[in-house]
């Protein structure tokens, strides 16, 4: 793949309106500017949602005033955010129907604060939006608009949604007039650890690190929609999914400390921001059925999507299986697969993925020509542009993970690796309870080292050159660590960029300990690599960062602070500035062939050891 593809901007800073290609979006902007009126949906940290009509002269201050009146809460010490952006006063960058988040500036607030949602007549007077509002005007969601209309008609006839009993978060089946489930709705404020979680898993506010530290509370719904949008031509069969603002009395609103008595006494109408996915009739999921009957092409297509989005939660329960037994068509025993539950994809940092299919025999079959063509035509830069257009609140750190994993997939497939080999290279190993970086992360570490080395040796301004020459280790802007004869910038330090950073509510002591381990690892790595190339040492002499102890079992109680320990961050993509990011990608691509050759050698050795008696 040509290096020039990455010269397109993948910026972490926002400077005015995003420059996005697409006639439809430009036309929409022109209409928006000419009318001067827009509508946004503002959500508080505790899950309250209000639709606000904006005039041309409205700003952040006027929006806060409306929220203060609607929710009867102080807004002076709060910030209005839009993805990575903190809106100062100007709202010109905010699209029509965008969801905004009102966050308290002081993080030491009580997580037991109840949601003061407007109800009944108050809701109708202050929020004029309909029962279900899809937060986009894209043609991608046309089928879901029809589904939403069916649900609204059923609601008028008294057909109630059905809460889903399984899972850790709140989810609801919404039905049509015949009582058939046609959509599953997952409110963002009912996710695990979110303020209005109906199953007792509470303790955090929206925007804080969630079930996985690299996926924030309240943002799994965005990822569900992103997975659908990235599944071009329904290649992997992801059901249509949109972000909606939806109003109903079935939703959960916790009442202060007593979360188990959230709404037993009185049914309250509440509005939510939620993911809205079309329900797929199915017979079972992959955890209830043997995988031998699964089509090779279906497994490959879902696996290709999982690799692109670095899915950290592809278990058997989120493969829906539908039988295609049709005697007339000769399809006895055949099934169709539908992947669901993509809320833990596109993390803000490189995570350890979980691919249920990695040991299925189908994953070891080479890609077909059709699949190779599909992979070859993937364009991560256009993917990012599309997601910025359709999900402008998505964080730039997530997009960098998407770019890196797509590049990795494209190069690996072109080299001749199969799906299982690619998945294994992305997966970390656990030995005696200790976590080691994956082969993908090892390549990233080496690419980062080469980027830093080139950055140190490259010509700079007089001021920068003087600073480097003096080896001033106290300079905050350089943030260097010294390793024998080589001066290396520390890629694991915090404070260089605000792009994609998680909230500072993560325990600082744990961060300091992890950073110290990783910094020590980098210094050893730099010394080891001075006289060794990646291709000669990946399998034997290539020094890995130290293992990180990780708890693998969940505790029995439901505390948000100890439910899942933080996974190690061996490489932080978000901290790189734009020029460094582009250079890193170039070095990353240069190193991939050596890593792929090593993987091929390992695969061949394993086959020789196992023999050829078992074939799929």
């Amino acid at each position: 793949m040509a290096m020039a593809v990455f010269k397109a901007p993948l910026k972490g800073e926002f400077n005015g309106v995003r420059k996005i290609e697409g006639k439809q979006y430009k036309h929409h902007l022109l209409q928006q500017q000419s009318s001067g009126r827009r509508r946004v949906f503002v959500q508080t940290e505790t899950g309250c949602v209000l639709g606000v009509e904006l005039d041309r002269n409205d700003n952040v201050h006027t929006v806060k005033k409306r929220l203060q009146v609607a929710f009867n809460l102080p807004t002076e010490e709060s910030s209005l955010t839009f993805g990575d952006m903190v809106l100062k006063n100007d709202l010109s960058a905010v699209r029509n129907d965008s969801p905004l988040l009102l966050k308290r500036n002081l993080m030491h607030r009580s997580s037991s604060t109840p949601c003061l949602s407007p109800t009944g007549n108050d809701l109708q007077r202050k929020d004029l939006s309909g029962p279900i509002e899809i937060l986009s005007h894209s043609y991608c969601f046309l089928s879901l608009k029809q589904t939403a209309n069916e649900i609204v008609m059923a609601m008028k006839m008294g057909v109630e949604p059905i809460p889903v009993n399984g899972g850790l978060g709140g989810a609801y089946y919404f039905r049509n007039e015949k009582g058939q489930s046609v959509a599953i709705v997952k409110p963002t404020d009912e996710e695990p650890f979110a303020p209005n979680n109906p199953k007792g898993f509470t303790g955090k506010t929206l925007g804080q690190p969630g079930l996985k530290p690299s996926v924030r509370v309240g943002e799994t719904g965005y990822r569900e929609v992103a997975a659908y949008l990235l599944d071009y031509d329904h290649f992997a069969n992801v059901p249509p999914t949109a972000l909606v603002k939806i109003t109903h009395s079935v939703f959960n609103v916790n009442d202060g400390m007593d979360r188990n008595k959230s709404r037993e006494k009185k049914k309250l109408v509440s509005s939510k921001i939620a993911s809205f996915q079309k329900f797929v009739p199915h017979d079972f999921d992959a955890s209830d059925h043997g995988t031998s009957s699964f089509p090779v092409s279906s497994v490959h297509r879902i696996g290709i999507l999982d690799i692109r989005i670095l899915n950290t939660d592809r278990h058997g329960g989120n493969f829906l299986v539908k039988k295609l037994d049709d005697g007339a068509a000769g399809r006895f025993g055949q099934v169709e697969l539908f992947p669901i539950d993509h809320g833990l994809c596109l993390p803000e940092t490189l995570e350890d993925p979980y691919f249920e299919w990695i040991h299925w025999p189908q994953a070891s079959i080479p890609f077909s020509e059709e699949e190779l063509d599909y992979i070859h035509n993937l364009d991560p830069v256009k993917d990012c542009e599309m997601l910025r257009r359709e999900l402008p609140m998505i964080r730039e750190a997530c997009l960098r993970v998407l770019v890196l994993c797509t590049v990795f997939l494209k190069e690996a497939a072109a080299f001749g690796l199969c799906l299982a080999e690619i998945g294994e290279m992305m997966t970390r190993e656990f030995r005696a309870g200790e976590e080691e970086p994956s082969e993908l992360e090892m390549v990233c570490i080496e690419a980062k080292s080469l980027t830093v080395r080139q950055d140190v040796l490259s010509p700079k301004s007089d001021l920068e050159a003087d600073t480097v020459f003096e080896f001033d280790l106290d300079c905050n802007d350089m943030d260097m660590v010294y390793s024998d004869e080589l001066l290396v910038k520390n890629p694991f330090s915090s404070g260089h960029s605000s792009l994609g950073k998680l909230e500072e509510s993560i325990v600082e002591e744990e961060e300091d300990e992890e950073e110290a381990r990783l910094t020590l690892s980098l210094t050893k790595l730099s010394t080891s690599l001075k006289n060794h190339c990646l291709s000669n040492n990946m399998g034997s002499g290539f020094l890995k960062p130290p293992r990180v102890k990780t708890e693998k079992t969940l505790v029995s109680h439901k505390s948000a602070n100890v439910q899942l320990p933080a996974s190690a961050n061996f490489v932080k993509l978000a901290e790189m500035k734009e020029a460094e990011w582009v250079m890193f990608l170039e070095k990353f691509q240069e190193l991939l062939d050596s890593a792929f050759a090593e993987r091929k050698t390992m695969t061949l050795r394993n086959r020789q050891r196992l023999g050829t008696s078992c074939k799929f």
Side-chain angles (χ1 to χ4, degrees), residues 591-605:
L591 295 169
L592 286 177
D593 280 356
S594 299
F596 295 152
E598 180 68 21
R599 165 52 59 171
K600 274 293 187 184
T601 302
M602 293 172 58
T603 302
L604 181 60
R605 289 172 183 168

Side-chain angles (χ1 to χ4, degrees), residues 257-416:
M257 294 295 293
D258 195 354
R259 299 179 178 90
N260 293 325
K261 295 182 179 180
S262 54
R263 300 188 326 149
E264 294 177 357
K265 295 182 179 179
K266 185 179 180 180
K267 283 284 186 180
L268 302 178
V269 175
S270 58
S271 296
K272 305 272 186 170
I273 301 293
S275 64
F276 182 88
Q277 186 172 84
K278 195 167 187 176
F279 179 79
V280 177
H282 57 282
D283 297 289
F284 42 80
D285 61 54
S287 63
D288 298 328
H289 191 271
T291 62
S292 60
S293 64
F294 295 170
V296 173
S297 62
S298 295
V299 174
H300 282 191
R301 291 176 176 219
I302 294 173
I304 288 169
L305 176 68
D306 286 341
I307 289 169
R308 291 170 63 200
I309 62 179
L310 192 64
N311 196 344
T312 64
D313 191 36
R314 177 62 73 206
H315 57 79
N318 53 41
F319 285 90
L320 299 184
V321 184
K322 182 178 181 180
K323 293 181 180 179
L324 297 177
D325 290 342
D326 186 347
R331 298 191 297 185
F332 282 118
Q334 295 186 22
V335 298
E336 185 176 10
L337 302 182
F338 296 88
I340 59 169
D341 292 343
H342 298 101
L344 296 180
C345 72
L346 293 176
E348 293 184 35
T349 60
L350 285 181
E351 282 269 4
D352 184 32
Y354 181 75
F355 303 139
E356 179 81 11
W357 43 257
I358 201 167
H359 297 300
W360 293 357
Q362 295 94 325
S364 296
I365 302 298
F367 289 120
S368 67
E369 288 299 322
E370 181 185 3
E371 293 159 356
L372 289 173
D373 287 342
Y374 183 89
I375 295 171
H376 175 76
N377 291 327
L378 293 173
D379 187 334
V381 172
K382 290 184 178 179
D383 290 345
C384 292
E385 291 175 351
M386 180 273 295
L387 288 180
R388 290 191 188 102
R389 181 173 64 250
E390 301 296 344
L391 291 172
M393 73 293 296
I394 196 166
R395 299 181 185 273
E396 291 290 328
C398 305
L399 299 182
R400 287 192 171 182
V401 170
L402 172 65
V403 169
L404 185 77
C405 293
T406 304
V407 170
F408 186 73
L409 168 65
K410 289 170 70 71
E411 297 290 349
F415 192 86

Side-chain angles (χ1 to χ4, degrees), residues 1 9 71 179 181 183 289 351 394 420 428 455 479 540 548 570:
M1 186 181 357
F71 295 134
S181 297
H289 191 271
E351 282 269 4
I394 196 166
R428 296 176 184 174
D455 184 53
D479 192 21
S540 56
V548 178
F570 295 108

